[in-house]
Amino acid sequence: MPGANSFEYLPDGTTVHSSSAARLRLLYAPLCGVDGQGIKSAITPLLSGDIKIDKSRYLTKPASREDLRGPVRNFFLYTEKNGIKSAADAPDGEVVVELGQLWHKVTRLFPQQGLELSALTFVPVSGERMELTRFTVRNVSAVAVTYTPTAVVPIFARALANKHDHEHVTALLNRIEQADAGVVVEPTMLFNEEGHRPGRGVYYVFGAEGNGAAPVGTFPTVENFLGAGGDWSRPVAVLEDRKPTALVDAERNGSEAAGALRFATVTLGPGDSREYIVAVGMADSRESGLAEFSRFASAETLASALEENRRFWTAKTSTIEFSDGDKDFSAWMRWVTLQPILRRIFGCSFLPDHDYGKGGKGWRDIWQDLLSLILIEPEQVRDSLLNNFGGVRIDGSNATIIGQQPGEFVADRNAITRVWMDHGAWPFATTLLYINQTGDADLLFERTPYFVDPQMSRTMEKNSAWRPEYGNRLKDRRGNVYCGTVLEHILVQNLVQFFNVGEHNITRLESADWNDGLDMAFRRGESVAFMSFYAGNLLQIADLLERLAQARGLKDIVVAREVKALFDTLDQSVNYDDAAAKKRLLFEGYFKSVQPELSGETVGLDVGEVVRDLRRKGRWAAEKIRSQEMFFVEESGETFSLFNGYYDNDGRRVEGKCDGRMRMTLTGQVFPVMQGVASQDDIKKVVRTVNKYLRDRELGGFRLNTDFGVRHYLAMGRAFGFAFGTKENGAFFNHMSVMYAYALYKQNFAREGYEVLRSIYNLAVDGERAQIYPGIPEYFDSRGRGMYHFLTGSASWYILTLLTMAYGVRGELGDLVLAPRLVKEEFSSGLATVACQFAGRKITVQYVNPERLDFGQYRIQRVLLNGKA
Ligand code: G1P
C-alpha cells in the first residue's frame, strides 16, 4: 500500500490496519465460507468485488480486475441538509480499513454530515450461503443528525458466462419479489443452450436493523432504484428521496434486480449509533432464505456469528506459527498459511485476477496445494490423495481438472486434447511428503482405478470407440474396472516419461510443462527441466522402496502384467542412448498392450530388482543432463555456467547467447539443483549465473527468465508474447522462485535459499510498489506490483520450504527429524521457534542460538523434550 509502512498489524498478530488502502481501487481481499460449496467473495475498501458460489451461481456480477473500479455493495446516507454520502464514494476524508482472517471492515468519516459509517463484512462459518455486512452509522458531531439509510446490492442471479452471453435474455428469467425483509430473485431456468434446466433456488438481499426491525420498503429492480437518469453512485431513489412502493408483476419480473433496501429515517443524538445488517445470499427457497437470515438478523446474533468466524479461521492459520523475533514476518506468514486453504475453497479462479474464471482446479495445482495441506490440515489429505490418483491414465498422463466431488475428473476444460509433460512428476513428490510426515506408507498399496477417455498414447492416438456410457474408469478385457496400487500409478507416471523422449533424448515438452505458457512446441520441444524432476523421482522412489524393504520386509510389489515392460532391465534392456528405441518400447510396446484395455493379470516383481532398475534409469538421466545440457557462456572475459532447460519446436536449444542477448530460464536451473542432478560445484556456478542474469538489481527478486527480446516466440509458446516482466515472461514468478529456494536449501545452500525467500517477502511488503494485502501473489511485475494475489501454489511451497528446510522440522517415514538450516538473521533474539503439527500432535520446536551463529557455524549440542534431556 502506498506510503512507507502504511499498514500495520494489530496486536492479535494477523489483522491488518491501513488508512491508505482505500486509495487503491484494485486492492481486494477474499471472504468465504468453510468449503468449496459455500460463498466466495472478493471485497475492496470501497466494497466492490463480487459474490458467487460457483460458475453457474453468481450472486453479483462477475468482477475481473478492472471491474473493481465500479461500485457493488453500497450503503447510502441521505441527509436533507448536507446531501448524500455512500460507502462506495471516492474517498474525500479519512477511510480506515481493517482486514482480518476472514473479515473486512472499512470505516469512513463524513465530517460535513457529522457521521461515521463502518461496514464489517464476513461469511458465516455455520454453512449458510450468504455474505453478511453490518453497517454502523455513528453521529460524531455535537448536534443531532437526521438521515435516511438505503442499502443496495445489485443481484445478478445467473452464470459467469452471462456477464456477456445472453445477458439480457437471462434477466428475462427473473421473477422478483418484494418481501418484508428484502428482495428475492428466483430465476425460472438456468439458461444453457446445451440443455436448459429449471432454476434451483433463490437469490436474495435481506436486511434488518440491529434491533431486528425490518426495512421500511424495497426498490427491487435496477430501473426502479436508479431511475432512467441515475447511476450506481447517484440512484434516483436516493437522490430524490423517493418512497419505496410495491411494484406490479410487469414492473418486477423479467428485470435486472437491484436488492435495494430502505430503512427508516432516523435522528441520532451526538455519540449515538445504529446498526444495519444486510445479507446477500442464496437459498433453496424464499422461506429457507428467510429462516437462515433470521439467525443473524440482530446485533447480538450477528456479533456472535462474527466471533465464531474469527475463532474458526484463527484456529486454521495458527496450525503453523513461526517466530524468529520479527513480529511482522510472523504475521505475514499467518496470511501465507491461509492461502492454501483459500485455494482449497476457491480453486484457482473466483478472485478478480484469474487465469481462467470457470472454477475447478488444475492437476498440477491440486498436488501443490496438498503439500501444505499435509502440514496444515493433515486430516483432510489421505482421501484426497487416493482419489486424485484415480485421475491418472495408464499412459502416465491424467485428467486435467478435478471436480468438486471425490473421484470426479474432467479431461479438459475447453475440450482441447492436450498433455502437460510435468503432471506426472508432482504426485510422487506430494505422496512422499505425506508418507514422511505421517509414516503412513500403507497408502502406497491402496488400490484405485485409472482414468480413461478417448485420449490415448499421450494424445498421439484417439479411441473413437469410447463412449461416455463406458465410464471414466479403465477396464480390463473382461469388463472389470482395473484397480492398481498407488505405487503402480506413481511408477507408470515416472517410467513412461523416462521413455517419452525427443530427438535430443530429453523428455518431450508435449503441450507444455509447469510453465503453461510454453505451449507451442508440441512436435519437437523437450524439457530438460522436468526430465531432471523425473530423474530425481526415479532415484527417490528407489530409496523409498529400499527403506520399506528394510523397515517392513517388503519383498515384492504387484503390478499389472503389462507394466513390467517399463522395467526393461528385468528382461531385455533397451539402450538408453538410443532415443528411438526408447520411444519404440513406449509407443509400440507398452501403450499397445494397455490401451484401450489391459489384461487384468498382475505379476509380482522383486523389490531389489525394481530398485536397481529405477536407479539405473535415474542415474542415466541425471548423467545425460549433466553431460549434455550444462554449458557456459562468456561475458566480459568471465564464464558463467548454466543448464539448458528446453529445446524448442525447431529442435533448437533455447538457452544461451542469441544475437548477443542472454537467454536463460530459472526453471531450467531449479530442477537439476533440487533433484541432485547438479553437483555441489555445479550449484555454486549456477547460483552465480542466476545472480548475474536473473536477479534484478533494483527489486532484488529473481526473474523467471531473461528478456529474449522478441515480439513472440512461436516455436516455444504464448508466454513470450506477454510483455517482458509480466507473468510467464520474465516476471518475478513466485512459485518458481520459492522452488528455487527449496532446491538451494535442500542442497545445503542455506544462505542462498534464505536470500531468495527473503527477496519475495521484501517485494510483498513493499507497500508502495506491491499494492496488495499480506501474502504471496502469483508474481510481481517489473514495477514490483503484486499480481494474482492469494490463489497461487507459491504459498504452499513457501510454507513447505520454511518449515521443512529452513527450520528443518520434518518427518522421515513418520519419525521426527530436526535439521535446521536457519541463518543468523533468523536468530535476532537468539531464538527461532515454530509451532506446527506432527504425526497428529501439536509440537513446538525452539532453537536456542544465543550467540547468533550462522548456518555452518552452529551444531546441535543438546535436545530437550518438555524440559528433559
Ligand atoms: C500458475 C498456475 C500453475 C502454473 C503456473 C505457471 O501458478 O496455477 O499451474 O504452473 O501458473 O504457468 P500459480 O498461480 O499457482 O502460482
Side-chain angles (χ1 to χ4, degrees):
M1 280 147 266
N5 295 326
S6 62
F7 75 96
E8 58 196 31
Y9 296 103
L10 297 185
D12 67 1
T14 49
T15 299
V16 178
H17 180 278
S18 168
S19 41
S20 54
R23 284 192 263 141
L24 302 177
R25 288 273 181 166
L26 305 187
L27 177 69
Y28 60 84
L31 297 173
C32 60
V34 298
D35 58 30
Q37 323 300 316
I39 290 286
K40 302 160 189 71
S41 299
I43 189 163
T44 71
L46 301 186
L47 308 187
S48 190
D50 62 8
I51 311 171
K52 61 261 152 189
I53 293 170
D54 53 32
K55 68 172 178 172
S56 56
R57 292 177 289 178
Y58 270 76
L59 285 68
T60 63
K61 197 164 192 164
S64 299
R65 190 171 176 81
E66 286 300 328
D67 299 315
L68 298 178
R69 298 181 190 275
V72 177
R73 311 159 181 94
N74 209 352
F75 196 87
F76 292 90
L77 296 166
Y78 171 90
T79 65
E80 203 136 280
K81 284 199 222 120
N82 288 310
I84 300 165
K85 281 288 166 189
S86 89
D89 284 349
D92 55 357
E94 191 182 273
V95 186
V96 171
V97 175
E98 283 166 66
L99 178 67
Q101 294 184 342
L102 272 172
W103 53 271
H104 177 278
K105 184 177 179 191
V106 52
T107 305
R108 48 193 308 176
L109 195 64
F110 301 121
Q112 213 194 335
Q113 288 72 19
L115 295 174
E116 180 196 79
L117 172 66
S118 78
L120 191 150
T121 309
F122 68 102
V123 176
V125 289
S126 39
E128 296 83 1
R129 287 171 295 168
M130 79 171 68
E131 185 197 271
L132 287 160
T133 300
R134 180 183 71 198
F135 294 97
T136 308
V137 183
R138 187 182 306 280
N139 180 349
V140 290
S141 75
V143 294
V145 178
T146 302
Y147 66 90
T148 304
T150 309
V152 65
V153 182
I155 308 175
F156 188 62
R158 53 204 124 136
L160 170 73
N162 306 132
K163 184 178 182 185
H164 186 267
D165 289 353
H166 304 110
E167 184 168 346
H168 178 249
V169 290
T170 47
L172 305 182
L173 304 172
N174 285 346
R175 300 296 185 271
I176 301 174
E177 268 188 76
Q178 293 173 283
D180 287 345
V183 177
V184 181
V185 181
E186 183 169 13
T188 53
M189 292 189 339
L190 287 180
F191 190 96
N192 180 347
E193 282 179 319
E194 284 167 23
H196 303 303
R197 278 181 293 145
R200 359 165 228 176
V202 301
Y203 298 82
Y204 61 78
V205 173
F206 291 143
E209 294 198 35
N211 63 10
V216 295
T218 60
F219 302 94
T221 69
V222 172
E223 197 181 351
N224 181 230
F225 185 58
L226 299 188
D231 66 21
W232 288 104
S233 57
R234 286 294 174 266
V236 165
V238 176
L239 204 62
E240 298 178 0
D241 193 25
R242 290 191 183 165
K243 302 288 160 266
T245 55
L247 305 191
V248 300
D249 281 1
E251 290 170 317
R252 285 181 276 110
N253 295 333
S255 302
E256 291 286 355
L261 318 180
R262 167 64 51 78
F263 293 95
T265 302
V266 52
T267 303
L268 287 184
D272 286 351
S273 63
R274 282 256 167 140
E275 291 186 358
Y276 304 86
I277 296 150
V278 175
V280 191
M282 190 176 184
D284 296 337
S285 64
R286 161 197 161 116
E287 289 66 35
S288 57
L290 283 166
E292 286 172 9
F293 175 61
S294 71
R295 294 175 204 154
F296 309 98
S298 73
E300 297 73 36
T301 50
L302 186 109
S304 68
L306 178 61
E307 206 30 56
E308 223 188 295
N309 171 291
R310 290 189 200 205
R311 262 201 306 274
F312 180 87
W313 292 108
T314 306
K316 285 264 174 225
T317 62
S318 55
T319 44
I320 305 185
E321 284 181 282
F322 297 92
S323 111
D324 62 1
D326 178 349
K327 283 207 170 62
D328 283 0
F329 180 72
S330 302
W332 183 78
M333 277 309 296
R334 291 280 295 274
W335 284 92
V336 176
T337 306
L338 179 65
Q339 289 184 245
I341 302 170
L342 293 175
R343 268 252 290 222
R344 171 166 67 70
I345 294 168
F346 282 76
C348 297
S349 319
F350 298 140
L351 281 179
D353 285 312
H354 44 82
D355 287 285
Y356 40 83
K358 297 186 197 167
K361 205 185 228 190
W363 177 263
R364 175 189 309 124
D365 302 323
I366 197 138
W367 294 96
Q368 314 298 314
D369 294 353
L370 281 166
L371 288 171
S372 64
L373 296 180
I374 290 169
L375 309 171
I376 302 167
E377 295 182 310
E379 61 289 342
Q380 310 245 5
V381 168
R382 193 181 204 269
D383 288 348
S384 316
L385 286 171
L386 188 57
N387 276 320
N388 294 344
F389 273 105
V392 177
R393 291 192 189 90
I394 197 72
D395 67 358
S397 70
N398 49 265
T400 310
I401 307 295
I402 301 194
Q404 285 287 357
Q405 302 307 318
E408 189 194 328
F409 301 105
V410 187
D412 187 287
R413 185 183 299 108
N414 302 312
I416 307 171
T417 311
R418 285 187 284 195
V419 58
W420 283 265
M421 64 80 67
D422 66 307
H423 278 184
W426 306 101
F428 173 65
T430 304
T431 307
L432 183 62
L433 177 75
Y434 171 79
I435 293 172
N436 276 332
Q437 291 296 116
T438 60
D440 175 18
D442 289 342
L443 176 73
L444 286 176
F445 305 101
E446 298 275 0
R447 292 183 167 274
T448 191
Y450 285 88
F451 179 72
V452 74
D453 65 353
Q455 185 171 313
M456 294 199 305
S457 308
R458 304 190 74 88
T459 73
M460 294 301 203
E461 287 181 279
K462 206 170 174 141
N463 177 10
S464 47
W466 183 89
R467 293 280 172 278
E469 305 80 65
Y470 182 94
N472 284 118
R473 293 165 165 208
L474 177 69
K475 292 180 186 162
D476 66 26
R477 287 181 206 118
R478 286 174 308 228
N480 304 316
V481 170
Y482 174 76
C483 288
T485 60
V486 165
L487 175 62
E488 184 193 78
H489 286 68
I490 292 173
L491 289 166
V492 166
Q493 290 181 302
N494 287 281
L495 288 169
V496 162
Q497 289 299 67
F498 177 76
F499 293 101
N500 185 21
V501 291
E503 62 204 71
H504 299 91
N505 211 341
I506 296 294
T507 312
R508 295 179 49 237
L509 179 57
E510 301 179 316
S511 311
D513 67 4
W514 169 88
N515 188 336
D516 287 329
L518 306 184
D519 58 349
M520 297 173 80
F522 185 85
R523 215 162 43 84
R524 294 177 67 187
E526 292 164 80
S527 171
V528 186
F530 277 85
M531 179 159 164
S532 302
F533 201 145
Y534 283 110
N537 278 359
L538 292 172
L539 295 171
Q540 290 171 57
I541 299 168
D543 292 346
L544 176 62
L545 290 177
E546 197 167 67
R547 275 191 289 160
L548 292 179
Q550 284 156 5
R552 318 166 137 220
L554 180 72
K555 289 210 164 40
D556 46 28
I557 60 167
V558 177
V559 296
R561 178 166 58 73
E562 297 84 348
V563 168
K564 189 179 172 197
L566 300 173
F567 297 96
D568 61 298
T569 62
L570 268 52
D571 247 338
Q572 259 190 325
S573 288
V574 172
N575 174 7
Y576 293 160
D577 293 325
D578 183 349
K582 281 157 107 181
K583 284 186 80 171
R584 263 200 311 280
L585 180 143
L586 193 63
F587 285 86
E588 310 294 319
Y590 175 70
F591 287 161
K592 287 213 157 46
S593 72
V594 290
Q595 297 173 150
E597 283 165 343
L598 35 61
S599 67
E601 289 162 32
T602 56
V603 289
L605 304 178
D606 177 74
V607 171
E609 289 183 23
V610 166
V611 167
R612 268 192 296 284
D613 181 278
L614 294 171
R615 289 214 169 113
R616 224 173 116 181
K617 293 186 166 82
R619 285 181 189 144
W620 179 90
E623 193 38 45
K624 176 83 182 161
I625 294 166
R626 277 202 72 218
S627 58
Q628 179 177 297
E629 302 299 338
M630 201 171 180
F631 69 105
F632 64 86
V633 293
E634 289 190 15
E635 180 96 48
S636 333
E638 286 186 79
T639 58
F640 292 93
S641 299
L642 68 152
F643 284 89
N644 170 48
Y646 297 94
Y647 289 94
D648 70 15
N649 214 26
D650 299 324
R652 283 186 316 221
R653 190 175 80 187
V654 168
E655 310 202 17
K657 285 269 171 86
C658 179
D659 301 330
R661 233 179 230 274
M662 180 62 174
R663 294 187 172 185
M664 178 179 182
T665 70
L666 186 58
T667 318
Q669 319 312 313
V670 166
F671 296 102
V673 174
M674 185 189 286
Q675 296 293 61
V677 169
S679 68
Q680 291 279 306
D681 194 44
D682 296 342
I683 298 173
K684 275 190 206 130
K685 293 179 183 160
V686 162
V687 165
R688 188 166 157 268
T689 313
V690 168
N691 286 342
K692 163 90 180 159
Y693 291 106
L694 296 173
R695 188 167 199 170
D696 187 274
R697 278 173 204 35
E698 193 194 342
L699 297 177
F702 295 81
R703 290 187 186 270
L704 189 57
N705 51 266
T706 54
D707 186 354
F708 285 21
V710 291
R711 280 176 66 77
H712 49 63
Y713 186 174
L714 302 185
M716 202 54 200
R718 64 170 188 243
F720 294 96
F722 301 152
F724 177 69
T726 66
K727 230 168 177 314
E728 282 100 342
N729 184 17
F732 303 91
F733 209 102
N734 289 320
H735 194 189
M736 195 48 68
S737 298
V738 186
M739 289 194 286
Y740 181 47
Y742 182 93
L744 291 167
Y745 275 114
K746 195 171 165 205
Q747 307 303 343
N748 283 317
F749 284 71
R751 168 136 314 266
E752 291 79 0
Y754 170 78
E755 276 172 17
V756 179
L757 286 190
R758 227 33 215 198
S759 74
I760 295 171
Y761 174 67
N762 290 339
L763 281 165
V765 299
D766 180 343
E768 189 71 56
R769 286 190 170 118
Q771 306 195 353
I772 51 170
Y773 285 122
I776 308 188
E778 180 181 276
Y779 72 92
F780 299 99
D781 66 17
S782 289
R783 291 177 296 161
R785 175 88 36 99
M787 300 293 296
Y788 292 61
H789 194 14
F790 295 110
L791 306 181
T792 156
S794 13
S796 227
W797 274 85
Y798 203 102
I799 298 164
L800 180 76
T801 307
L802 198 61
L803 180 66
T804 67
M805 290 292 145
Y807 281 75
V809 178
R810 60 187 155 82
E812 244 176 61
L813 283 187
D815 293 335
L816 180 64
V817 175
L818 303 177
R821 293 180 175 110
L822 295 161
V823 296
K824 62 173 189 264
E825 288 85 339
E826 287 163 299
F827 289 104
S828 61
S829 60
L831 300 174
T833 310
V834 59
C836 60
Q837 313 235 59
F838 188 78
R841 296 183 186 81
K842 178 112 193 186
I843 61 167
T844 302
V845 177
Q846 181 164 68
Y847 296 112
V848 183
N849 176 5
E851 287 169 41
R852 306 183 50 217
L853 298 176
D854 207 354
F855 176 73
Q857 296 176 326
Y858 59 71
R859 273 195 303 148
I860 294 187
Q861 303 277 325
R862 283 195 304 151
V863 181
L864 304 184
L865 176 65
N866 294 335
K868 292 202 199 105

